[in-house]
Amino acid sequence: MGAHFKMQVLAYGHLLQTLHPDKPVRRGFLYLIPTREAVPVPFTAHLQRQLDKALTQMAAIAQAQQLPAPPDTPARCVDCEFAAL
């Protein structure tokens, strides 16, 4: 399971924390369809740093109004939901 999926779950956790500040959100879950299992994703300090870095990069891209560079590994685009756009 890729780090980008974990960061997305953490971002959702932050949204929940914003809505319910009195209830700490310490983990999320990713549901793996092929195995039909929910895998816990603990919200670690390392994952938080990765998300912070990604958000900083996204803000810089938005501020500069430039498209990000294509991925170094085109194989990632095979399963991308935006590939058909």
Side-chain angles (χ1 to χ4, degrees):
M1 139 182 40
H4 57 289
F5 291 119
K6 293 178 182 179
M7 282 195 292
Q8 185 174 1
V9 171
L10 175 58
Y12 285 129
H14 278 279
L15 291 173
L16 285 172
Q17 189 74 65
T18 301
L19 292 172
H20 304 282
D22 57 322
K23 297 180 182 179
V25 180
R26 295 184 181 99
R27 67 180 177 170
F29 293 89
L30 284 172
Y31 184 73
L32 306 179
I33 294 171
T35 59
R36 300 178 121 186
E37 67 178 314
V39 177
V41 177
F43 296 159
T44 64
H46 175 71
L47 186 60
Q48 180 62 56
R49 285 190 301 274
Q50 286 182 306
L51 179 62
D52 290 343
K53 182 179 176 183
L55 290 171
T56 298
Q57 291 170 339
M58 289 166 48
I61 289 168
Q63 181 69 28
Q65 296 185 0
Q66 293 180 335
L67 291 174
D72 295 332
T73 52
R76 289 176 124 183
C77 298
V78 173
D79 294 327
C80 178
E81 62 189 274
F82 300 109
L85 296 179

